[in-house]
Every structure is written in structure tokens, then in C-alpha cells.
Amino acid sequence: MGEATCALPSAHPLARDRGGGGARRPPDGLISELKLAVPWGHIAAKAWGSHQSPPVLCLHGWLDNANSFDRIIPLLPKDFYYVAMDFGGHGLSSHYSPGFPYDHQNFVSEVRRVAAALKWNRFSLLGHSFGGTVGGMFSCIFPEMVDKLVLLESSPFILESNELENMLTYKRSAIEHMLQVEASEKPSHVVSPEEMLQGFLKNNSHVGDECAKLLLQRGTTQVATGLLLNRDRRITRPEYYFNFISRELFVHSIRKLQARVLLIK
């Protein structure tokens, strides 16, 4: 556990060229890539700062990866140890085993597994979008482990009366979708780096070229004929995997929080 690995080759076609013959310079302050063992494979992560400093676990958004934090970590205080993980099925982390479904609570369990692997008893959480929802749920289930919770464009839980009415439909759709993908023999789609970039920008109009390349560096693998997306094909619409909760459960859960909370919208 905690084994340092070289996760991204400098020859990746979407690597940023900052001189030196096209070699990719690691983000400022990046110490190491981590590979943490779990029963279905490994959880990949990357770390900045000294492991002697107070720890902060960074949780990315849906279909994103740990590179989401490459630009913000260098701007934050240097006296913390930042670890950004890839959720299962995202980035460089292993996909869940066939037949094992992706579920909101499973991602919360991944946070607990990472904390155990790193021997963290108490730490801060920084979560963006879906990562904030996972971090919020973790902070209510394990309140004694989280001292600060920072939510970037997120909420600790998903509370939507309209979505609650459709909850069973979403659950059914998620199961059917998983079975369809597992039964499909369709090979992964290989595209050129430029086609991959333009497709990403088309589907994420709020993201600029530089950020798109950052996410695709960790979110794709180079093969002889182009690039493959790393993420599990079973993961598509996020509403299939959220846990929508009632107002009563929301209030009860929030009261369990011990962490100081910062919400940035």
C-alpha cells in the first residue's frame, strides 16, 4: 500500500509541453503517485507536500479524475499533505469487478479504505461536485474522522423531491444499464488525440483546452492506433448512482457533522 508508481508516461500525446523536448513536468509540489490495494484491484492517487503535514483528501467530480486538482493545489497553503484519489472506474483506478455495481455508498467506502491504507485517523476533505457529495456523506457517517469539509459546487447530500419520485425508475435503469454493458462484446472505442479532445470539449462546454487536456491525460491510455478512455463503460448518467434522501434524513444526518464546513458555489 502506498507504493509509488509512474502512472503517466511523458510521451502521452496530450501531455503539456513546457520545454525540454516535450517532456511533461509534474505539477508543482507533486511528491508521488500512489497505488493503494483494494479487493478488486487498486485505487490510484497522487500526493503533494510532506506526509508529516496535516492530511487533506481531495475527491473529484463524476467522470473526472485526480488531475482535477493539478491547478488548484499549487495555489493552496503549503503546510498540508494533499492526496487526490481516483474513484473506482475513473482515472487510473481499477474498474469494479464484473457483476459488482457502482453505487454512491461504495464510493463512500472507498474513502474509508484510502484513509485506512494511509493510516489516517483524522483528516480534511476537499470535494468537487460528486466528490463533495461523497465527502459529505462520509463526514456524517464517520464524523469523528473529518475535521474540515470543503465543498466546491456541491452539497453533502442530494435532496430533490422530484428525483425522489423517480428513485425506483433510476435504480431500475442503473441495473438494466449495467447488465447491458456487461453483456456487450463491443470493444472500447479508439480515437485520435485530437478527436478525443474535441469530443471532450463538445460534451463539456464549460471546460477550456488546458483543463480538458489535464483530465484526459489521466483519463485516457495511449495505444498503437490512438487513445482509449480509462473510465468504466458502466458509468454514465450520475443519477443512476446517487442516493437521494428525504428531508428528514438530510436534517438528521447533517446534525451528525463535527467538521467545520466551507461551501463554495
Side-chain angles (χ1 to χ4, degrees):
M1 294 191 179
E3 175 189 1
T5 62
C6 182
L8 179 68
S10 61
H12 193 287
L14 291 174
R16 289 171 293 171
D17 186 357
R18 294 187 176 179
R24 178 179 180 269
R25 190 181 73 185
D28 294 341
L30 182 65
I31 297 298
S32 61
E33 294 276 353
L34 308 177
K35 197 172 183 179
L36 310 173
V38 291
W40 62 91
H42 70 269
I43 291 176
K46 54 198 305 184
W48 291 258
S50 168
H51 68 274
Q52 303 294 333
S53 300
V56 180
L57 185 61
C58 306
L59 308 176
H60 64 76
W62 189 254
L63 301 185
D64 293 339
N65 55 63
N67 277 15
S68 295
F69 299 97
D70 273 19
R71 297 180 68 188
I72 192 172
I73 297 297
L75 304 177
L76 298 181
K78 308 299 185 204
D79 50 349
F80 290 91
Y81 180 50
Y82 300 95
V83 174
M85 61 179 281
D86 293 324
F87 285 123
H90 295 72
L92 300 176
S93 288
S94 298
H95 295 182
Y96 284 10
S97 302
F100 185 53
Y102 290 91
D103 180 82
H104 192 158
Q105 189 161 323
N106 290 339
F107 293 119
V108 176
S109 298
E110 288 185 22
V111 174
R112 185 65 184 88
R113 291 180 186 276
V114 168
L118 297 174
K119 296 181 172 59
W120 290 355
N121 294 318
R122 191 165 173 84
F123 55 97
S124 298
L125 279 170
L126 169 62
H128 171 242
S129 190
F130 177 75
T133 304
V134 172
M137 190 173 184
F138 179 90
S139 300
C140 293
I141 295 175
F142 299 96
E144 76 286 356
M145 296 188 68
V146 183
D147 59 357
K148 298 182 183 70
L149 174 63
V150 181
L151 304 172
L152 304 177
E153 302 176 318
S154 186
S155 166
F157 292 95
I158 302 300
L159 178 67
E160 282 277 354
S161 58
N162 292 335
E163 303 299 351
L164 280 171
E165 294 173 6
N166 297 322
M167 182 179 64
L168 295 181
T169 300
Y170 286 140
K171 295 296 185 184
R172 174 174 177 147
S173 298
I175 293 171
E176 295 289 359
H177 174 72
M178 181 182 70
L179 295 177
Q180 289 170 8
V181 172
E182 289 179 351
S184 173
E185 298 296 330
K186 182 180 177 181
S188 298
H189 191 44
V190 181
V191 300
S192 69
E194 182 60 25
E195 186 179 354
M196 180 72 75
L197 177 61
Q198 293 308 315
F200 185 93
L201 291 172
K202 180 180 179 181
N203 293 325
N204 300 273
S205 58
H206 58 289
V207 177
D209 279 30
E210 183 178 358
C211 291
K213 289 178 180 178
L214 266 178
L215 291 171
L216 288 174
Q217 282 172 22
R218 197 173 183 91
T220 59
T221 295
Q222 184 178 11
V223 295
T225 54
L227 295 178
L228 283 171
L229 279 174
N230 290 342
R231 67 173 178 248
D232 196 319
R233 290 194 299 137
R234 289 175 289 175
I235 301 175
T236 51
R237 296 171 59 184
E239 61 266 29
Y240 287 174
Y241 308 96
F242 280 130
N243 286 345
F244 300 102
I245 67 172
S246 67
R247 185 177 301 274
E248 292 76 17
L249 183 55
F250 181 95
V251 172
H252 174 77
S253 300
I254 290 298
R255 285 175 176 163
K256 299 294 184 182
L257 273 175
Q258 296 179 17
R260 299 174 63 188
V261 180
L262 173 64
L263 170 62
I264 300 176
K265 184 175 181 180

